[in-house]
Amino acid sequence: MASYTAPVRDTAFVINELLGIEAHGALPGFSELSPELIETLVGEAGKFAAEVVAPLNHSGDQAGCVRDAEGSVTTPAGCRAAMDAFRAAGWGALSLPAAFGGQGLPHLLGFVVEEFLCSANQAFAMYPGLTNGAINALLVAASPELQRVYVPKMVSGAWLGTMNLTEPHCGTDLGLIRTKAVPQADGTYAITGTKIFISAGEHDLSENIVHLVLAKTPDAPAGSKGISLFVVPKFLPDGDGNPGARNAASCGALEHKMGIHGNATCVMNYDGATGWLVGEENRGLAAMFVMMNAARLGGGIQGLGQAEVAYQNGAAYARERRQGRALTGPAEPGEAADPLIVQPDVRRMLMEAKAFTEGMRALGLWVGLLVDLAEKESDEAKRAAASDLVGLLPPVVKGYGTDKGFDTAVAMQQIWGGHGYIVENGMEQFVRDARIAQIYEGANGVQAMDLVGRKLPAGGGRAIQAFFALVDGECAGVDAALAPVAEKLGKACGELKVATMWFMQNAMANPDNAGAGAYAYMHMTGIVALGLMWLRMAKVAQAALASGTGDAAFYQAKLVTARFFAERAMPQVGALRRQIEGGAEAMMALPAEAFGVA
Amino acid sequence: MASYTAPVRDTAFVINELLGIEAHGALPGFSELSPELIETLVGEAGKFAAEVVAPLNHSGDQAGCVRDAEGSVTTPAGCRAAMDAFRAAGWGALSLPAAFGGQGLPHLLGFVVEEFLCSANQAFAMYPGLTNGAINALLVAASPELQRVYVPKMVSGAWLGTMNLTEPHCGTDLGLIRTKAVPQADGTYAITGTKIFISAGEHDLSENIVHLVLAKTPDAPAGSKGISLFVVPKFLPDGDGNPGARNAASCGALEHKMGIHGNATCVMNYDGATGWLVGEENRGLAAMFVMMNAARLGGGIQGLGQAEVAYQNGAAYARERRQGRALTGPAEPGEAADPLIVQPDVRRMLMEAKAFTEGMRALGLWVGLLVDLAEKESDEAKRAAASDLVGLLPPVVKGYGTDKGFDTAVAMQQIWGGHGYIVENGMEQFVRDARIAQIYEGANGVQAMDLVGRKLPAGGGRAIQAFFALVDGECAGVDAALAPVAEKLGKACGELKVATMWFMQNAMANPDNAGAGAYAYMHMTGIVALGLMWLRMAKVAQAALASGTGDAAFYQAKLVTARFFAERAMPQVGALRRQIEGGAEAMMALPAEAFGVA
């Protein structure tokens, strides 16, 4: 049976030693974050996730959510109590603005909580996760009046939120949506339409549910330029701001899904429901994209979370299960067999998982810090530099992070052999749950197109050039011990530059050349970004070992893993560059009929 | 909702045009196989799979198998009738020996049936699939008397078979098994022990079930040298060879699994059950490996089968679903949106799937032909050459075939976006079902070690050298149109040679260097083997186009796909070679404790 312990030490290492958060004490919300406080906060968050939320993961998967004849949805046993505890502890409010009842702490601490919750129970983590996204959209686009009514309730967790984008005939292409919003005399809108795949659309975890809904007003322009965003509460707030009359927004059905069974994925019916416009008419997509950007970083963190818990259980099994002998001769001759971990191919999977989870944690928390710097840094040049990277990296964090998260869950299941395929052991649930993160919040192919089509050319390529400079700077002047790692990273970054240049030279003439290489480019960037994190971590570890303080084994493992990642992951970058250079010709040459059955 | 059509045209292309089966007419069983007869046979098999078996796939997944209080197991609705129809049509007997009631046709026709059945319904396909493996073991190792009693019943499908290897504490390491076989006065053995993960261990599809069981006699040597194989029928054959008294072999429980719900995966309890020794005492593993070798080829075919049905449904969705616009401007301006298939990243996934399924079909059926040549070819040199390749390729067919089969199922699910995650649409079942083939019949990491540790060095490396010569020969003297494809294949084969040499130079000093690179080597070999198939197919297509006969679009698609595979898959080979050259050092450097939670 799978278990979970939060990686507190590694997380504190990233925040305190790698990112050096104390040096940012001048930023609002950062001032009191001593290494000791970070360790306490991270430790408590980890304890909550492991002790309160994780025990509900397998049972929630088995029980799923249940909708009654009236459309009410009951979440799996224990979820209500866990949500109450979550609310009482204030974990959802950690990095939200103090003006609305949040604690105003750095975004990266919110990411830590998200990772831990997602490892513990992804289906559960999505309830506060979506609420967070909805809060962000309201903070950016809603009127002060709407913010005053909704945001404090959502920050406290009293009300939870949703995102309503998809309709039966359209997901990625939101220009096609049909849900109607008809202006009413009182300034509200009557919302009518059907939305599908609405995570947390209906449940018993909060006294109200705040739906953010994309819809079109009667005279809206066609396509994506005519989309507006509305807030549509399940219960209309009364004069005191408490849940009042029931709104005409209801759950028509629950979807049966491959995984995340503990999250209620709803078909939502809006039958002239009362909604309030968020921001301006026809500007809904922009507000929704604010939410999506945060959600994409969260998506990458989910990939990390699933990989981490799968890795822990893969490693535990490899250390305990005795089967066969080491290739170099019996490692434990007194026992009937050696533990699996002596097998190089098992090690390969474990080391790949270790290199991904620790590297991805560093990347995610670094981007979390950049989000704060982009918002709050007083030095304009530093703020702009952070802002460029925050503009560039979300599709990489989401696409690469969730792909590798899924791959890691699959590999860790593989270590368990046949036992990994058995439901009761929990490894197969990680695979089923991790799978969704590659699909939602913009399928990973859409992320790749966003990266290559929008992020890369933005500002004349300023962001990617800054990223290159960052990597090259980190590789320069490295001492002999880390030279092999820096050299491989520098070479991989060189491949990424060549691929970038190839797009500049070939995508103008034929945009399909960009599309054909986009996915490979997203993965190249992800590998180089993790390589950057590993070189930085190796430097920190080297310095710590030289100073003789702390746990030498921990820092030694960082050095070994940095080397492993350089040797194993970096070669892939060159192969991906060559795939990109293949271009679109063979890929697009066949007529659609050639994909019928022969 | 997913659907399936057997790829009859492509299969006939491989058998008739690529493998030129008519030229092998002198081999026993091949004489009447005109192209027309092949097309008829393949067409009928495809019809059966698509019309009788495929409709039970989704319902069988949802219903699963049910065990009653007495231990009887009921398969999902429709399976009994489908098995009766399968039996009546004789599909299981196609390539089995005429002496036992089979049709004596080539092995590759058995592979065709296996692919189609597996696409249609993997859980169902496993019932006859395992029977086939058990028949092979009996044919190789059992006494004529045992063969006479069991084989004809199994060839006709009246009795189905199983393989009983795994016990709760051991799977890969069979030397650890504890099931006991105590000799009885009448020459039989009393079998006592518990076996787990027994596919088709108990069901309602046949009048008897023939278990092949690994067990240890009381005085057996320790470890794998003391394992014997027994045949243990559910019902003891009476004097007339009909099912008689109930044997003490029963299903103690059904496993709850990630997928293949329609197959009854049993805990089997043997409580002094009557068994007959197959072959000699303590030689059971050798006989079981005969069965495993066939099962591994079957495993690769399963990967192909799952990839094929997933590909068909991914392609159909991409052609129908309208979402967004082509990057090069609206492809169908009169419609609200273009079909997904205009998107390069969707094409990428479809082309990769097409290149894998068609390439893997060619590889699987070629190896199927080699099995016949190794058994029946009268020219000794040709027979030996085929035998070498049959010795080398099974772990590649199994490991690479099932890995890519799973990856393809995942990619095709991705094309469906959120709808791919919904149970009713069937795409997620392909992913869950395909996953098992990477695990059973020897987990893929074990396949990789078998390839590098046993197959590669066997006979002084004769088989791999012969494979290299085959590839180089195919690449030599290619005309200008195919030169880019041949050049990339030749280069990839060069990388494989370098990796092979690296093992020779580095594995002796440290066997972990072989283990560390084994998985990468297995994939390199798989890619080169598929590249060989694609170059051959391209040549056949080129010749057909030059002669102006047949369906030009079909052959043009072969040329384009061959080029796509060369451009996209071949670059990976160099990256894998570089991973191998990283060796075992960083991989094995950390102590086991470093894989605990930090």
Side-chain angles (χ1 to χ4, degrees):
Chain A
M1 185 66 202
S3 67
Y4 175 65
T5 307
V8 173
R9 170 74 184 95
D10 196 59
T11 303
F13 163 80
V14 171
I15 299 175
N16 291 328
E17 299 174 69
L18 181 73
L19 301 178
I21 198 171
E22 245 186 332
H24 296 286
L27 291 177
F30 283 60
S31 61
E32 289 171 18
L33 295 174
S34 66
E36 294 70 32
L37 181 58
I38 290 290
E39 265 179 55
T40 304
L41 267 173
V42 170
E44 288 301 315
K47 218 172 125 180
F48 179 83
E51 294 177 4
V52 178
V53 182
L56 307 174
N57 193 39
H58 184 68
S59 55
D61 177 67
Q62 293 301 297
C65 296
V66 179
R67 176 185 176 278
D68 70 15
E70 281 77 46
S72 291
V73 172
T74 307
T75 54
C79 287
R80 281 189 69 161
M83 185 57 71
D84 288 342
F86 180 84
R87 203 177 273 129
W91 289 118
L94 218 57
S95 53
L96 291 170
F100 293 97
Q103 300 183 41
L105 290 169
H107 285 291
L108 61 82
L109 288 171
F111 283 14
V112 168
V113 174
E114 199 156 348
E115 183 205 317
F116 292 176
L117 285 182
C118 184
S119 285
N121 189 330
Q122 184 172 335
F124 181 86
M126 288 169 66
Y127 292 103
L130 287 157
T131 304
N132 226 356
I135 291 171
N136 285 331
L138 290 173
L139 287 176
V140 165
S143 67
E145 173 59 17
L146 278 181
Q147 289 182 352
R148 197 184 53 75
V149 174
Y150 289 96
V151 176
K153 294 281 195 187
M154 296 167 79
V155 168
S156 76
W159 298 1
L160 295 177
T162 73
M163 302 164 50
N164 287 239
L165 291 77
T166 306
E167 299 183 6
H169 63 291
C170 71
T172 300
D173 191 352
L174 292 169
L176 302 177
I177 66 167
R178 293 176 190 152
T179 297
K180 282 280 159 224
V182 180
Q184 305 296 298
D186 63 357
T188 65
Y189 291 74
I191 312 290
T192 302
T194 299
K195 296 284 182 178
I196 64 167
F197 302 161
I198 307 308
S199 301
E202 175 61 33
H203 54 73
D204 55 357
L205 301 181
S206 59
E207 61 178 35
N208 204 358
I209 301 174
V210 182
H211 303 290
L212 289 192
V213 182
L214 291 184
K216 304 194 105 177
T217 53
D219 305 321
S224 60
K225 292 193 178 75
I227 299 174
S228 302
L229 179 64
F230 299 88
V231 57
V232 185
K234 177 178 172 185
F235 294 104
L236 301 173
D238 65 16
D240 300 325
N242 293 318
R246 184 73 165 85
N247 204 353
S250 61
C251 167
L254 287 179
E255 302 284 3
H256 306 110
K257 309 182 301 291
M258 183 184 196
I260 52 166
H261 295 161
N263 198 280
T265 306
C266 301
V267 175
M268 290 299 298
N269 295 324
Y270 295 92
D271 299 312
T274 301
W276 284 265
L277 182 66
V278 176
E280 296 171 39
E281 274 191 18
N282 303 328
R283 300 293 303 273
L285 220 48
M288 207 53 141
F289 275 138
V290 169
M291 184 153 126
M292 290 297 292
N293 226 29
R296 289 197 290 180
L297 293 174
I301 301 295
Q302 288 181 11
L304 164 61
Q306 286 294 312
E308 170 67 31
V309 68
Y311 163 64
Q312 289 184 12
N313 288 284
Y317 192 80
R319 292 172 68 184
E320 286 160 18
R321 173 82 169 177
R322 291 181 180 278
Q323 205 78 178
R325 288 296 187 187
L327 302 177
T328 49
E332 301 182 25
E335 302 282 347
D338 291 334
L340 281 180
I341 200 167
V342 304
Q343 301 295 333
D345 194 62
V346 172
R347 280 288 180 120
R348 173 185 63 80
M349 293 188 271
L350 290 177
M351 286 298 294
E352 285 175 357
K354 187 176 173 66
F356 170 67
T357 52
E358 296 178 16
M360 189 69 203
R361 183 171 298 119
L363 178 64
L365 297 182
W366 176 52
V367 175
L369 176 59
L370 291 173
V371 170
D372 274 308
L373 291 172
E375 274 178 19
K376 304 170 186 168
E377 170 63 49
S378 55
D379 180 305
E380 197 173 326
K382 286 185 188 167
R383 198 173 64 237
S387 184
D388 278 348
L389 290 170
V390 170
L392 177 72
L393 292 173
V396 179
V397 170
K398 199 280 184 177
Y400 177 77
T402 59
D403 277 359
K404 293 293 295 179
F406 177 73
D407 290 349
T408 303
V410 170
M412 297 301 100
Q413 180 192 23
Q414 188 74 15
I415 291 179
W416 281 59
H419 299 275
Y421 202 68
I422 301 300
V423 171
E424 286 81 353
N425 291 327
M427 299 304 290
E428 62 91 39
Q429 186 189 344
F430 300 141
V431 173
R432 288 185 290 104
D433 287 357
R435 184 69 185 90
I436 190 59
Q438 300 173 286
I439 298 172
Y440 65 18
E441 324 292 12
N444 284 358
V446 176
Q447 304 294 334
M449 275 312 301
D450 180 54
L451 174 66
V452 169
R454 288 196 206 94
K455 308 298 195 207
L456 214 52
R462 195 176 62 220
I464 191 75
Q465 295 301 336
F467 179 72
F468 293 154
L470 213 58
V471 176
D472 290 340
E474 203 71 59
C475 292
V478 158
D479 71 17
L482 294 181
V485 172
E487 194 188 310
K488 288 188 175 65
L489 174 59
K491 202 177 153 199
C493 188
E495 301 276 11
L496 191 59
K497 289 176 195 168
V498 171
T500 309
M501 188 68 79
W502 191 90
F503 282 138
M504 288 172 61
Q505 290 166 341
N506 295 279
M508 201 79 92
N510 180 5
D512 279 348
N513 278 326
Y519 212 88
Y521 190 88
M522 179 174 76
H523 272 258
M524 289 178 86
T525 313
I527 296 169
V528 171
L530 248 67
L532 173 65
M533 294 301 115
W534 272 112
L535 180 55
R536 285 179 174 177
M537 289 196 279
K539 288 181 181 180
V540 173
Q542 202 184 37
L545 285 166
S547 76
T549 58
D551 176 3
F554 178 84
Y555 297 113
Q556 283 291 0
K558 288 286 180 204
L559 290 177
V560 168
T561 311
R563 184 184 152 196
F564 176 85
F565 188 79
E567 288 172 356
R568 284 268 159 176
M570 290 305 157
Q572 298 164 28
V573 174
L576 292 166
R577 188 260 304 160
R578 288 173 61 198
Q579 288 186 339
I580 290 171
E581 291 173 355
E585 209 179 298
M587 196 181 281
M588 303 303 286
L590 294 178
E593 304 78 55
F595 298 93
V597 180
Chain B
M1 187 66 199
S3 67
Y4 175 64
T5 307
V8 173
R9 169 76 183 94
D10 196 59
T11 304
F13 163 79
V14 171
I15 299 175
N16 291 329
E17 299 173 69
L18 181 72
L19 301 178
I21 199 171
E22 245 187 331
H24 296 285
L27 291 177
F30 283 60
S31 61
E32 290 172 17
L33 295 174
S34 67
E36 293 70 31
L37 180 58
I38 290 290
E39 264 178 57
T40 303
L41 266 172
V42 169
E44 288 300 315
K47 218 173 126 182
F48 179 83
E51 293 177 5
V52 178
V53 183
L56 307 174
N57 193 38
H58 185 69
S59 56
D61 177 68
Q62 293 301 297
C65 295
V66 179
R67 176 185 175 278
D68 70 16
E70 281 78 46
S72 290
V73 172
T74 308
T75 54
C79 287
R80 281 189 70 161
M83 186 56 72
D84 288 341
F86 180 84
R87 204 178 272 129
W91 290 118
L94 217 57
S95 53
L96 291 170
F100 293 97
Q103 299 183 43
L105 290 169
H107 286 290
L108 62 81
L109 287 172
F111 283 15
V112 168
V113 174
E114 199 155 347
E115 183 207 317
F116 291 177
L117 284 182
C118 185
S119 285
N121 190 329
Q122 182 171 339
F124 180 86
M126 289 169 66
Y127 292 102
L130 287 157
T131 303
N132 225 357
I135 292 170
N136 284 333
L138 290 173
L139 288 177
V140 166
S143 67
E145 171 60 17
L146 279 181
Q147 289 182 351
R148 198 184 52 73
V149 174
Y150 290 96
V151 177
K153 295 280 194 187
M154 295 167 79
V155 168
S156 76
W159 298 2
L160 296 176
T162 74
M163 302 164 48
N164 287 239
L165 290 77
T166 306
E167 299 183 7
H169 63 292
C170 71
T172 301
D173 191 352
L174 292 169
L176 302 175
I177 66 167
R178 293 175 189 151
T179 297
K180 282 281 159 225
V182 179
Q184 305 296 298
D186 63 356
T188 66
Y189 291 74
I191 313 288
T192 303
T194 299
K195 296 284 181 177
I196 64 169
F197 302 160
I198 307 309
S199 301
E202 175 60 33
H203 54 72
D204 55 358
L205 301 181
S206 58
E207 62 178 35
N208 204 358
I209 301 173
V210 181
H211 303 291
L212 289 191
V213 182
L214 291 184
K216 305 195 103 175
T217 53
D219 304 321
S224 59
K225 292 195 177 72
I227 300 175
S228 302
L229 179 63
F230 299 89
V231 58
V232 186
K234 177 179 172 184
F235 294 104
L236 302 174
D238 65 17
D240 300 323
N242 293 317
R246 184 73 165 87
N247 204 353
S250 61
C251 166
L254 286 180
E255 302 283 5
H256 306 111
K257 310 183 299 292
M258 183 182 195
I260 50 165
H261 295 161
N263 198 280
T265 306
C266 301
V267 175
M268 290 298 299
N269 296 324
Y270 295 92
D271 300 312
T274 301
W276 285 264
L277 182 66
V278 176
E280 295 172 39
E281 274 191 18
N282 304 327
R283 299 294 303 274
L285 220 49
M288 207 53 141
F289 276 139
V290 169
M291 184 152 124
M292 291 297 291
N293 227 31
R296 290 197 289 181
L297 294 174
I301 300 295
Q302 287 181 11
L304 164 62
Q306 286 294 312
E308 170 68 30
V309 68
Y311 163 65
Q312 291 185 9
N313 287 283
Y317 192 79
R319 293 172 67 184
E320 285 160 18
R321 173 81 169 177
R322 292 182 179 277
Q323 204 78 179
R325 288 294 186 188
L327 302 177
T328 48
E332 301 183 24
E335 302 282 347
D338 291 335
L340 282 179
I341 200 167
V342 304
Q343 300 295 333
D345 195 63
V346 171
R347 280 290 179 120
R348 173 185 63 82
M349 293 188 270
L350 290 177
M351 286 298 295
E352 285 175 357
K354 186 175 172 66
F356 170 66
T357 52
E358 295 178 16
M360 190 69 204
R361 182 171 300 118
L363 178 64
L365 296 183
W366 176 53
V367 175
L369 176 60
L370 291 172
V371 170
D372 274 307
L373 291 172
E375 275 178 19
K376 304 171 186 166
E377 169 63 49
S378 55
D379 179 306
E380 197 174 326
K382 286 185 189 169
R383 196 172 67 236
S387 183
D388 278 348
L389 289 170
V390 170
L392 178 72
L393 292 173
V396 178
V397 170
K398 200 277 185 180
Y400 178 77
T402 60
D403 277 358
K404 293 293 294 179
F406 177 72
D407 290 349
T408 303
V410 170
M412 297 302 100
Q413 180 192 24
Q414 189 74 17
I415 291 179
W416 280 60
H419 298 275
Y421 203 67
I422 303 300
V423 170
E424 286 80 355
N425 291 327
M427 299 304 290
E428 61 92 40
Q429 185 189 345
F430 300 141
V431 173
R432 289 185 290 104
D433 287 356
R435 184 70 184 90
I436 190 59
Q438 299 173 288
I439 298 172
Y440 64 19
E441 322 294 10
N444 284 359
V446 175
Q447 303 296 334
M449 276 311 302
D450 179 54
L451 175 66
V452 169
R454 288 194 206 96
K455 308 298 196 209
L456 213 51
R462 195 177 62 221
I464 191 75
Q465 296 301 336
F467 179 71
F468 293 153
L470 213 57
V471 176
D472 290 339
E474 204 70 60
C475 292
V478 159
D479 72 17
L482 293 181
V485 172
E487 193 189 311
K488 288 187 176 66
L489 174 60
K491 201 176 153 199
C493 188
E495 300 276 10
L496 190 60
K497 289 175 195 170
V498 171
T500 309
M501 186 68 77
W502 191 91
F503 282 138
M504 288 172 62
Q505 291 166 340
N506 294 280
M508 200 78 92
N510 180 6
D512 280 347
N513 278 326
Y519 212 87
Y521 190 87
M522 179 174 76
H523 272 258
M524 289 178 86
T525 313
I527 296 169
V528 171
L530 248 66
L532 174 64
M533 294 301 115
W534 271 113
L535 180 55
R536 287 180 174 176
M537 288 196 281
K539 288 182 182 180
V540 172
Q542 203 183 35
L545 285 167
S547 77
T549 58
D551 176 3
F554 178 84
Y555 297 113
Q556 282 293 359
K558 289 286 180 203
L559 290 178
V560 168
T561 311
R563 184 182 151 198
F564 176 85
F565 188 79
E567 287 172 356
R568 284 269 158 175
M570 291 303 158
Q572 298 165 28
V573 174
L576 292 165
R577 187 261 302 161
R578 288 174 60 198
Q579 290 186 338
I580 290 171
E581 290 173 354
E585 209 178 299
M587 195 181 282
M588 304 303 285
L590 295 178
E593 305 78 56
F595 298 93
V597 181

